[in-house]
Structures are given as structure tokens and as C-alpha cells.
């Protein structure tokens, strides 16, 4: 329906928790339960964050964070099959790897670690404010410090593009394009040797690792959604009028804020806590769903210790000056594990999940979208201005150099996203015109 389309194109790839994009379908929200019986149905919330005064000193907080994170990792190491970890050399995956490696060493076992890379990416990597470096140096430091059995999985540009449709089918909707397909391919390769892995997902949402937690405020209500005006201008005027994307986004934002748990503190602290809440509700849910669907699509189980409720309940109430200890993103987490990790890893600036910068990838998605646009019955012609699509192709998406979602999805990923939109409508036989 119209609301489903508006959600898809205003918030996408994130979603409204509890809603689905198809008419007449709802989902049970996280931390809710439902019982259905002859007389009807009953739904209730069984868990929520509780705001309270943080009474620990910074030293006590560091110690508690270390204990909670370590215990969460150790609990998730319990398995009937050998455990591995995804290792980028960043703070989060390195903490998990270090704790896991030390635990396995007590059993005279060696931890297997995996990292993802892209064909010839070292020749084309482009440093930016989000991704300041590649991962190999820091992975090497961790491998050396903890003697892990490490394997790098290298993905080709061709495989990345050819898997876009399969990633869309696993997600049941257009989503994070090659950010999704790369995770699927990564896990597909890992599956040859391991079926269970631990990942550092969610630490940035819980501890405040993203630039929007400590940088300047953006115009967008949701700071991981940018280029929103440019996104709307891709649509035909009649669809802009029908979808009302800016108003829809505002309504979703207002409704989400109404449900936010009360937070103690001054106005500035409440505003930042509001940002944490929105991250948990929208951005973290998107990454968790990506993790679930892509990894299970490769028949792998990937566990996320930083999403453990004991960590989230405690860290929610830590004041920002402690979370940002030392003026560094996730400062309290760095302090908690500074004695365990190599110094270079502790001091490394946050980098997101790696993406391809190879021009061949852009060429391949460009070619695929050109082929789609030869089909005059494509949904892309129904929704979007033809001139805008031509301009997007002619410039290889350069008008979307600032990521339009998160930290990674710039111009080439927008082209790939439009490919997924076309394939989604075709695969699920969706009748957009009658909506």
C-alpha cells in the first residue's frame, strides 16, 4: 500500500519496527510476545529499557563494562561445534576475538578468525571521513597478539553484483545492496569450515560509536538518512505528491519519540539519549535483520554479544561524558579493554564494515541498470523521472557522494538499490500501479 511504499523509500533500508511494507501484514515488535487463540489474540511487551541514575564512578563503570561484555562473549562461546569470529581489526571485533581466543587457549584450542576484502580494493580504496583506512594492518596486530588461525575472504566484483538479487530475496525487500550481498558471500565462504561465528555488531549503537553521536547535527531527523531531498526528487511529481515522503518521515519520527522511555538528565542529555533510542529502534534493527537474513541465507549462525540485554540495560544509563571517555568514540569500552588489546587497536578510529571502491563494480551495476531501463514496463519508469535516472547513470551516482544511508551507501550503492527495486517488483509480482 501507499504507506508501505512511503516507508520503503523514505526510511529504507531501515524499517518501522512492527510494520511491514505489504498491506495487511504486521510483525511482532522486538521484546513483545503474542498469544493467539480461538477468542482472539493478546500481545504484550515483556522487556524494555529502564532509565535510572548511574551511581558508579568512572573506574567502577569501566570495571562493570569489562565484566558484562566479557561474560556476554563467554556465554555465546558455548556451542556444540567449533566457534569462529569475524575480525576487522576494529575495537569491537577485536574485543570479541581477544576474549574468545583466551577462553579457547585454556582448552588448548586455537581460534579461527575471518575477514572480508574485495578484489583489487587496495588499488582503489578512497579514504573518507567514515572509512579512514583498510583493515589489514590491525588484523595483523590481532593475529600476532592472539595467534589466531586467520583467513581473508576476497570477494570479486562480479560475484558482488550477481548476488544482489539473491540478497534482496533473502531480505524480502530492496535493502543495503552490496553491503548485504557481500555479507552473504562472506558467510557462504566461512560456512565451508565453520557454522557458528561471533560478530561485533551493535557496539556502535550501544556505546555511541557513530559520527552522528558526537559530530554536528544534521538536517535529517534520522542522521543516518541523508540526501533525503535528492532522494525525493528522483520520483515523478505525481508520486512525490502521493507518497509525501518528508511528511511521512516526520510522522514516523514523532510517533517514535512518543514511545521513548523517560530519561533522567538535562535537555542536552535527553536529546542525546533520544538519538540512542532512535538508533536502537531503527538503525540497529536494520543491521540485526541484515545479519540474521544474510548469515542464515548462507546456513551460518552469527551471534552478536554486544546486543546482550545486560549490556544494553547498563550502558543506557551511563552519562555521555563517561561513554565518551577521553573524548574518543566508545571511550568507556576502549578503557575497559585497553590492557587486553594491542595499543594500535585500542587507539584505532572507528571504521565501518568494508565496502568495495573498485570502478569495475560501478561499471557492472551501471550496465545492469542500463539493461533494466531498456524494459519500458519496468517499475522504475512508473515511479521515477526518466531524466533523473539518466543523470544518475551519466554521473555514476556522483550526486549521491554523501552516503544516502549510513556510512557506506553512496552513488554506486544507490544504482544497485534501484536494481533491487526492479528485481523485487518482478520477483514478488507486485502491482505498484494499482496502489
Amino acid at each position: 500500500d501507499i504507506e508501505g511504499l512511503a516507508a520503503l523509500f523514505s526510511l529504507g533500508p531501515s524499517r518501522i519496527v512492527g510494520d511491514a511494507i505489504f498491506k495487511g501484514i504486521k510483525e511482532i515488535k522486538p521484546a513483545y510476545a503474542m498469544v493467539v487463540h480461538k477468542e482472539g489474540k493478546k500481545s504484550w511487551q515483556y522487556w524494555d529499557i529502564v532509565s535510572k541514575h548511574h551511581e558508579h564512578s568512572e573506574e567502577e563503570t569501566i570495571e562493570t563494562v569489562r565484566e558484562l561484555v566479557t561474560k556476554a562473549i563467554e556465554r555465546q562461546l558455548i556451542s556444540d561445534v567449533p566457534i569462529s569470529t569475524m575480525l576487522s581489526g576494529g575495537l569491537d571485533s577485536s574485543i570479541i576475538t581477544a576474549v574468545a581466543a583466551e577462553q579457547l587457549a585454556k582448552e588448548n584450542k586455537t581460534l579461527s578468525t575471518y575477514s572480508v576484502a574485495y578484489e583489487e580494493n587496495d588499488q582503489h580504496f578512497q579514504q573518507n571521513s567514515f572509512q579512514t583506512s583498510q583493515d589489514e594492518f590491525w588484523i595483523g596486530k590481532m593475529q600476532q597478539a592472539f595467534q589466531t588461525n586467520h583467513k581473508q575472504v576476497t570477494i570479486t566484483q562480479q560475484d558482488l553484483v550477481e548476488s544482489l538479487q539473491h540478497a534482496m530475496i533473502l531480505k524480502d525487500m530492496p535493502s543495503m545492496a552490496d553491503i548485504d550481498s557481500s555479507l552473504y558471500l562472506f558467510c557462504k565462504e566461512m560456512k565451508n569450515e565453520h557454522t557458528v561465528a561471533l560478530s561485533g555488531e551493535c557496539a556502535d549503537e550501544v556505546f555511541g560509536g557513530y559520527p552522528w553521536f558526537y559530530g554536528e547535527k544534521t538536517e535529517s531527523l534520522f542522521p543516518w538518512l541523508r540526501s533525503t531531498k535528492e532522494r525525493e526528487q528522483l520520483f515523478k511529481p505525481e508520486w512525490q505528491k502521493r507518497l509525501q515522503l518528508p511528511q511521512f518521515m516526520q510522522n514516523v519520527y514523532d510517533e517514535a519519540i512518543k514511545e521513548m522511555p523517560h530519561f533522567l538528565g538535562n535537555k542536552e542529555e535527553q536529546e542525546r539519549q533520544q538519538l540512542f533510542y532512535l538508533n536502537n529502534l531503527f538503525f540497529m534493527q536494520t543491521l540485526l535483520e541484515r545479519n540474521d537474513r544474510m548469515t542464515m541465507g548462507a546456513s551460518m549462525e552469527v551471534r552478536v554479544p554486544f546486543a546482550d540485554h545486560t549490556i544494553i540495560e547498563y550502558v543506557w544509563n551511563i552519562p555521555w561524558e563517561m561513554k565518551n571517555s577521553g573524548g574518543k568514540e566508545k571511550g568507556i569500552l576502549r578503557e575497559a579493554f585497553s590492557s587486553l588489546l594491542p595499543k594500535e587497536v585500542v587507539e584505532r578510529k572507528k571504521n565501518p564494515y568494508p565496502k568495495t571502491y573498485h570502478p569495475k563494480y560501478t561499471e557492472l551495476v551501471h550496465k545492469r541498470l542500463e539493461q533494466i531501463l531498456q524494459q519500458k514496463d519496468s517499475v522504475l519508469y512508473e515511479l521515477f523521472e526518466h531524466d533523473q535516472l539518466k543523470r544518475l547513470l551519466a554521473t555514476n551516482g556522483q550526486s549521491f557522494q554523501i552516503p544516502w544511508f549510513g556510512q557506506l551507501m553512496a552513488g554506486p550503492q544507490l544504482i544497485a538499490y534501484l536494481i533491487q527495486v526492479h528485481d523485487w517488483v518482478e520477483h514478488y509480482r507486485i502491482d505498484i500501479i494499482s496502489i
Side-chain angles (χ1 to χ4, degrees):
D1 57 16
I2 284 292
E3 284 198 359
L5 276 184
L8 180 66
F9 292 120
S10 66
L11 301 174
S14 53
R15 293 195 300 114
I16 304 169
V17 173
D19 281 0
I21 51 179
F22 294 113
K23 186 177 181 180
I25 298 177
K26 297 287 183 181
E27 63 182 15
I28 300 172
K29 293 181 180 181
Y32 277 71
M34 179 183 282
V35 171
V36 181
H37 45 80
K38 287 187 296 183
E39 289 75 29
K41 63 182 185 290
K42 178 185 176 184
S43 178
W44 69 95
Q45 187 175 12
Y46 62 82
W47 179 86
D48 198 4
I49 292 171
V50 177
S51 295
K52 54 188 177 183
H53 287 292
H54 184 74
E55 298 179 352
H56 285 171
S57 66
E58 184 161 342
E59 187 176 333
E60 291 170 328
T61 302
I62 290 169
E63 186 176 333
T64 304
V65 166
R66 185 189 306 116
E67 181 182 350
L68 289 173
V69 171
T70 300
K71 284 183 176 179
I73 296 168
E74 289 175 348
R75 280 195 297 273
Q76 297 199 18
L77 287 173
I78 299 170
S79 172
D80 294 330
V81 296
I83 286 277
S84 60
T85 67
M86 294 175 165
L87 176 62
S88 68
L91 180 68
D92 315 326
S93 67
S94 295
I95 289 171
I96 292 172
T97 295
V99 173
E102 289 199 338
Q103 189 70 16
L104 289 181
K106 295 175 184 176
E107 305 168 23
N108 294 316
K109 295 178 181 177
T110 300
L111 177 68
S112 291
T113 55
Y114 294 86
S115 62
V116 64
Y118 301 91
E119 171 190 32
E120 299 178 349
N121 217 33
D122 54 336
Q123 300 172 30
H124 303 283
F125 175 75
Q126 298 168 19
Q127 186 181 39
N128 56 59
S129 58
F130 294 117
Q131 207 150 24
T132 58
S133 59
Q134 297 193 83
D135 294 334
E136 285 77 9
F137 171 80
W138 287 273
I139 291 171
K141 287 289 180 183
M142 285 297 298
Q143 187 182 3
Q144 184 180 7
F146 295 95
Q147 296 297 299
T148 71
N149 179 19
H150 187 75
K151 181 177 181 180
Q152 177 178 281
V153 176
T154 302
I155 299 172
T156 70
Q157 313 305 322
Q158 189 73 41
D159 286 346
L160 203 55
V161 175
E162 288 180 356
S163 297
L164 285 172
Q165 185 180 45
H166 188 61
M168 178 277 296
I169 292 170
L170 290 175
K171 190 71 182 290
D172 287 315
M173 61 184 285
S175 191
M176 297 182 76
D178 56 270
I179 313 303
D180 280 351
S181 62
S182 63
L183 181 58
Y184 163 70
L185 292 168
F186 181 28
C187 290
K188 190 178 175 184
E189 186 65 29
M190 289 177 65
K191 173 65 169 54
N192 292 331
E193 297 173 0
H194 286 84
T195 55
V196 181
L198 271 61
S199 165
E201 210 96 72
C202 299
D204 290 311
E205 288 84 358
V206 176
F207 286 92
Y210 292 120
W212 46 80
F213 280 112
Y214 50 87
E216 293 181 9
K217 288 186 177 180
T218 65
E219 293 181 9
S220 176
L221 298 169
F222 303 97
W224 51 89
L225 292 169
R226 277 157 296 180
S227 304
T228 50
K229 290 179 182 176
E230 293 86 348
R231 189 193 292 214
E232 186 188 22
Q233 287 167 3
L234 289 172
F235 287 88
K236 288 182 174 181
E238 58 265 35
W239 278 103
Q240 289 187 33
K241 188 176 179 180
R242 291 182 75 184
L243 295 174
Q244 295 288 320
L245 298 184
Q247 188 58 51
F248 183 86
M249 185 184 290
Q250 182 70 56
N251 293 343
V252 171
Y253 177 86
D254 292 342
E255 286 301 312
I257 294 303
K258 282 181 189 176
E259 296 182 6
M260 177 181 165
H262 176 67
F263 181 73
L264 309 171
N266 60 35
K267 185 173 182 292
E268 183 181 347
E269 289 171 330
Q270 287 179 1
E271 286 179 355
R272 184 172 277 112
Q273 206 65 6
Q274 179 177 295
L275 186 53
F276 273 100
Y277 176 72
L278 293 172
N279 264 266
N280 289 353
L281 198 61
F282 292 92
F283 200 72
M284 184 162 74
Q285 296 292 345
T286 303
L287 296 186
L288 284 172
E289 187 176 9
R290 165 183 176 256
N291 178 74
D292 283 343
R293 289 179 178 255
M294 296 307 119
T295 60
M296 292 306 292
S299 298
M300 272 204 69
E301 178 190 349
V302 176
R303 302 171 178 177
V304 281
F306 283 107
D308 189 285
H309 72 97
T310 61
I311 297 172
I312 292 175
E313 288 166 357
Y314 182 75
V315 178
W316 171 259
N317 291 296
I318 298 176
W320 174 249
E321 60 269 19
M322 280 195 196
K323 283 182 187 171
N324 199 39
S325 178
K328 295 180 180 179
E329 75 264 0
K330 296 180 290 190
I332 199 76
L333 188 60
R334 293 176 192 272
E335 291 288 343
F337 289 91
S338 59
S339 61
L340 180 62
L341 300 175
K343 184 171 181 279
E344 295 89 345
V345 172
V346 173
E347 295 177 351
R348 185 187 183 188
K349 186 183 185 301
K350 178 203 154 33
N351 271 239
Y353 176 87
K355 75 167 184 176
T356 181
Y357 289 89
H358 203 301
K360 184 180 177 182
Y361 174 77
T362 305
E363 291 169 13
L364 289 170
V365 292
H366 184 288
K367 183 178 179 180
R368 173 68 183 127
L369 186 55
E370 275 189 330
Q371 291 170 346
I372 289 171
L373 293 178
Q374 290 173 12
Q375 304 174 38
K376 297 305 178 184
D377 60 347
S378 170
V379 69
L380 300 183
Y381 281 114
E382 168 62 28
L383 293 172
F384 303 108
E385 282 282 9
H386 188 213
D387 288 345
Q388 290 278 12
L389 294 175
K390 284 170 61 179
R391 189 177 300 117
L392 188 70
L393 279 174
T395 62
N396 283 328
Q398 288 302 305
S399 55
F400 287 85
Q401 282 187 313
I402 296 173
W404 55 277
F405 181 79
Q407 303 169 90
L408 300 173
M409 298 185 70
Q413 283 70 38
L414 178 58
I415 294 173
Y417 183 79
L418 293 176
I419 292 169
Q420 287 192 323
V421 170
H422 169 87
D423 288 345
W424 176 64
V425 170
E426 293 292 308
H427 183 81
Y428 292 90
R429 300 188 298 278
I430 298 167
D431 185 1
I432 294 282
I433 296 171
S434 66
I435 291 176

